[in-house]
Amino acid sequence: MAQTSTPSDMTDENKPIIEIRNFDFAYGDAQALFDINMDIREKEVTSFIGPSGCGKSTFLRCFNRMNDLIDIANIKGGEIKISDINIYDKEVDVIELRKHVGMVFQKSNPFPKSIYDNIAYGLRIQGIKQKSVLDGVVEECLRGAALWDEVKDRLNESALGMSGGQQQRLCIARALAVKPKILLMDEPCSALDPIATAKVEELIHQLKKQYTIIIVTHSMQQAARVSDKTAFFYLGKLIEFGKTDDIFMNPTDPQTEAYISGRFG
Amino acid sequence: MSEKPATNIFSKKPSRQALFETCVSTFFRLATYLVIIAAGYLFVNIAYNGSKAVFTTKAPFINIDFLTQKPQTLHVYEPKEVTTEQQKINAEILSTKAKRNALGSGEKAQRAEYEAHIESLEERYDILDEQRVEGRLMFSDSEYRQLDETPSEELFKYSNYAYSGGGIGPAIIGTCLLVTGSIAIALTLGVLCAVYLSEYSQPGKMLQLIRLSIMNLSGVPSIVFGLFGFGMFVLFFGWGVSMIAGWFTLAIMALPIIITASEESMRAIPKGFREGSLALGASKWTSIRTNVLPYALPGILTSSIMGIARVAGETAPIMFTAAFALRDQLPWEGLKEPTDFFFQGVMALPYHIYVVSAKIPQNEYTRNMQYGAAFVFLFIVGFFALSSIILRVKIRKKYKW
Amino acid sequence: MNRYFHHELHDLRSMLILIAEKANEAGRLAVEGFLSSDLEKTQHAVKLDDEIDALEIAIDRASVRYITLRSPVSSDVRLIFVAIKASHDLERAGDEAHSIAKRTRNILTRDGSVQNKVEIEAMSKLAFGMMKDAINCFLEEDLDLAESIIEQDKEVDRLNKENFKNLSMALRDGGIDPATQIETILISKSIERIADHAKNLAEEVIYLLTGE
Ligand SMILES: Nc1ncnc2c1ncn2[C@@H]1O[C@H](COP(=O)(O)OP(=O)(O)O)[C@@H](O)[C@H]1O
Ligand SMILES: [Mg+2]
């Protein structure tokens, strides 16, 4: 019942937007990801679960090459293709890639600027300065992140005056401003209270109509609630990947079963 | 479990421990007071003596001449009659003291007699001293030149003191120029270097070595910087004793402070800001320019300006590189070409204080100049420090996280 | 705040109402077939029972899925348990309808028409009235109505006993085929079972509303 991702499974579904093949990743000598194969489909929410330190964040940060910032990080083998392009190819411009693949971090990190400037940041650094364009994008993104009604009267106030949940949604809105196709979220709700978490989940549910979303979460309930597909990682290996329903109701791997039922270790 | 009597379980128990605690805290308190007293004495002393030179009793209450005029030689005439008398008395005091010291321990009456004599002589001396101060004439160079006739050599004893008359105008201007110039150079170099070290360089042995040597640089004595600047800028680059040589010498001396402080400020910026902007498709430099430097700026500015203010107080580095003991033109006077502005020596307050005090530190006639200059100098340094703090508060208000 | 997955609970409710209506309809059709000697109606009842079975499985699936994926609490959990239990009751009610239909068919094939209808009509009116009330009290969250259903069950039990007495007497007297008599007893028993399930449903609604 549970479906593992092999190319033969592609039959009835749309073509994957991200294809990961035999991916190996290491920090210096310590290998962090082992031979990962996975297909992520367009306009689906895929969640990564697994115990702390199993490499979820590491894997997620491979999709927008955020790991390039770490000197000892190196790809030992395999490839990640986004829309059929190997993103670790020499031809690939990391900046373009990152515009295409947005990211939201565990700790919400609004810049200490006004709400407006936060959203406009992504466009301004591309040299877009016209007020009319920026105004439009700011409103569109804030609406997209279900934040417009809450903040429309204080766009010029500092983003740091917002509540934690609003800040995180601002970060999502900010990521939307550069018009990504894919959104990566690394434990976006880990610092939020239940209501704020619910709002972010609600937002994710809205956004999946337009974006492909990959979310790392340490809350299995969250994975169950928001995602269409779930991947379980353990010690840097992809143990099981399939429809969320199958993973949670009828996992094939005993390790997955043990983890999701809390009988781990 | 037995019932405990209902006493306060937290009640104070007098003990040796408590006594010891009190002693320790008193000791720490005394040490702190000592420091405060020393610092207080320093400031009060300079302010008190310095204000005599800087302020006047007549409106506008500030001695404009002192602050604007060039230093001049001080010419002093003292009534000869009084000074010779004083000299005689002084000689007598000394001889009486010698006699007294030669006495055996038995001759009590004789000793008392000598001591009474010394006392009366000293009283007389003090009275004469007051007369001397009343009767003395002091002229600065310019006043001296305007005299129709110098006071007669018969009636007056003449002495003169270089640089102790007039004002300290050029030194103030020179110091300000030196400080601003070196701030500009040191900040630019220091921030560039700090950005490279904290954002671009690969961590490793090499980086540690660089950091270590930068740290060590701040331990180098200032006179060594002076000599280095002299060798490098004055001689090797052939800039001569010039403002620009002073700028670079001071800047290099302040660099370790600035680099360390800037690196510290930049490292204090949360990683999230960098990652956040990189994830939005910013290049590394864009990310640093828009999301690191602006937030680090308050810290960089404060510590840098503080560092410069500290360095600007040094005499040694400018002694050989930039400072003239006396220069009768202001920096913008008599320039043949605009670039000459940079290649001229200037006067500077710390060096001026040094020059004035070097020979006869406690001389009655140079005191005024010494304290006045020191007071003004403290003021200027304080001004730079204060402006850096205000700047920081302002920027900090704009970017707060 | 309404979450995007709350509509799944709504769907579950709708399915529950649907299965209840179907179970009620199946029983009604079967008994009507008996009363009016109508073979076609009994066949319809059998077909409905298949749909009921499929619906019960769907409700169970949806309930388990909701529990595993949505971590419900409080009244949501109760709703799901009620859904599981009620769908089970309703499925059994459907089974009873199925059995009534089958026995009616037996009687009709054997005798051509139903002769001794005893108190089946009054009994079935009561039983299906209870079923209808049970659905209504679930729909309208009506606690009083639910409690009244439990009372009505006693009357059905009494009627069933009466039927049993009458039929066993008729059996002793002879005349009509004994097999028909026994099958009529079983039909009466089935209606009594349906009323029992309606009572269970009412109890479940009370649990759903009060948590007791
Ligand atoms: N910057 C890094 N340098 C070296 N090792 C790292 C670094 N980041 C993570 N790791 C290691 O990689 C492994 C996976 O980490 P991570 O992806 O953060 O796990 P997760 O997000 O699943 O909790 C861990 O063992 C961690 O110690
Ligand atoms: Mg992580």
Side-chain angles (χ1 to χ4, degrees), chain A residues 28-45:
Chain A
D29 293 332
Q31 191 155 353
L33 296 172
F34 298 86
D35 194 30
I36 308 235
N37 282 287
M38 197 185 233
D39 283 335
I40 289 169
R41 273 160 233 282
E42 212 176 347
K43 294 179 188 170
E44 274 189 353
V45 179

Side-chain angles (χ1 to χ4, degrees), chain B residues 107-132:
Chain B
E107 297 153 291
K108 287 239 166 75
Q110 189 68 352
R111 175 179 290 266
E113 192 182 312
Y114 281 146
E115 264 166 20
H117 187 52
I118 291 172
E119 212 161 286
S120 70
L121 282 175
E122 278 173 349
E123 262 165 42
R124 169 98 185 105
Y125 186 90
D126 287 347
I127 294 166
L128 282 174
D129 212 40
E130 270 166 38
Q131 282 177 14
R132 178 181 64 90

Side-chain angles (χ1 to χ4, degrees), chain B residues 228-242 244-246 248-249 252 343:
Chain B
F228 157 77
F230 182 69
M232 177 100 168
F233 302 119
V234 177
L235 299 181
F236 184 71
F237 286 2
W239 290 345
V241 171
S242 61
I244 190 165
F248 275 95
T249 313
I252 286 176
F343 295 100

Side-chain angles (χ1 to χ4, degrees), chain A residues 57 106 186-187 216:
Chain A
S57 302
Q106 176 169 6
D186 193 349
E187 303 193 9
V216 169

Side-chain angles (χ1 to χ4, degrees), chain A residues 27 32 50-59 70 72 186-187 216:
Chain A
Y27 290 110
S52 219
C54 67
K56 308 178 296 282
S57 302
T58 302
F59 191 37
I70 298 166
I72 53 171
D186 193 349
E187 303 193 9
V216 169

Side-chain angles (χ1 to χ4, degrees), chain B residues 68-386:
Chain B
T68 53
Q69 273 185 2
K70 290 161 194 168
Q72 296 168 1
T73 303
L74 186 69
H75 302 264
V76 180
Y77 287 92
E78 289 184 329
K80 213 168 205 168
E81 211 177 300
V82 183
T83 42
T84 33
E85 180 79 34
Q86 273 184 314
Q87 273 165 13
K88 272 186 206 153
I89 290 172
N90 219 1
E92 199 169 344
I93 289 174
L94 287 177
S95 66
T96 322
K97 274 185 180 166
K99 277 189 222 155
R100 182 198 61 186
N101 291 348
L103 284 176
S105 58
E107 297 153 291
K108 287 239 166 75
Q110 189 68 352
R111 175 179 290 266
E113 192 182 312
Y114 281 146
E115 264 166 20
H117 187 52
I118 291 172
E119 212 161 286
S120 70
L121 282 175
E122 278 173 349
E123 262 165 42
R124 169 98 185 105
Y125 186 90
D126 287 347
I127 294 166
L128 282 174
D129 212 40
E130 270 166 38
Q131 282 177 14
R132 178 181 64 90
V133 172
E134 262 166 42
R136 89 178 159 199
L137 301 168
M138 291 202 283
F139 306 103
S140 70
D141 250 346
S142 47
E143 289 163 339
Y144 186 69
R145 263 183 246 120
Q146 277 162 11
L147 288 181
D148 296 333
E149 183 185 354
T150 50
S152 86
E153 292 277 337
E154 253 122 76
L155 290 177
F156 289 100
K157 179 168 170 281
Y158 170 74
S159 57
N160 64 29
Y161 300 90
Y163 316 127
S164 296
I168 51 171
I172 294 176
I173 289 165
T175 296
C176 290
L177 281 176
L178 278 175
V179 171
T180 28
S182 51
I183 282 181
I185 292 173
L187 258 186
T188 324
L189 271 179
V191 171
L192 289 182
C193 185
V195 167
Y196 176 76
L197 288 181
S198 87
E199 308 287 334
Y200 285 96
S201 62
Q202 307 278 331
K205 282 253 151 48
M206 193 61 199
L207 187 66
Q208 274 177 329
L209 197 73
I210 294 176
R211 287 229 172 88
L212 197 70
S213 39
I214 290 175
M215 295 269 217
N216 277 338
L217 210 57
S218 60
V220 172
S222 55
I223 186 76
V224 177
F225 276 103
L227 286 176
F228 157 77
F230 182 69
M232 177 100 168
F233 302 119
V234 177
L235 299 181
F236 184 71
F237 286 2
W239 290 345
V241 171
S242 61
M243 198 149 68
I244 190 165
W247 282 350
F248 275 95
T249 313
L250 285 178
I252 286 176
M253 202 175 152
L255 269 182
I257 305 174
I258 293 184
I259 293 173
T260 318
S262 308
E263 252 202 287
E264 212 60 57
S265 311
M266 274 190 277
R267 230 171 308 149
I269 306 300
K271 213 171 82 193
F273 293 169
R274 281 165 248 245
E275 288 190 331
S277 58
L278 288 175
L280 287 170
S283 65
K284 187 152 188 171
W285 167 236
T286 311
S287 155
I288 294 169
R289 182 169 53 83
T290 56
N291 253 329
V292 177
L293 280 182
Y295 314 140
L297 207 57
I300 295 178
L301 280 184
T302 336
S303 25
S304 302
I305 297 180
M306 289 287 215
I308 288 279
R310 181 104 217 102
V311 166
E314 293 280 0
T315 317
I318 50 171
M319 199 150 93
F320 312 127
T321 53
F324 284 162
L326 179 68
R327 194 183 132 91
D328 57 358
Q329 277 175 325
L330 290 173
W332 47 85
E333 287 171 353
L335 296 176
K336 284 206 198 75
E337 280 172 57
T339 48
D340 283 352
F341 180 76
F342 301 104
F343 295 100
Q344 58 178 337
V346 287
M347 290 191 65
L349 278 169
Y351 187 58
H352 187 61
I353 296 171
Y354 166 76
V355 166
V356 176
S357 327
K359 288 164 210 154
I360 327 162
Q362 279 304 313
N363 190 291
E364 190 185 343
Y365 308 106
T366 58
R367 241 177 115 86
N368 213 28
M369 176 56 79
Q370 289 162 23
Y371 277 103
F375 185 52
V376 170
F377 188 41
L378 267 186
F379 227 86
I380 291 176
V381 172
F383 168 79
F384 277 106
L386 192 72

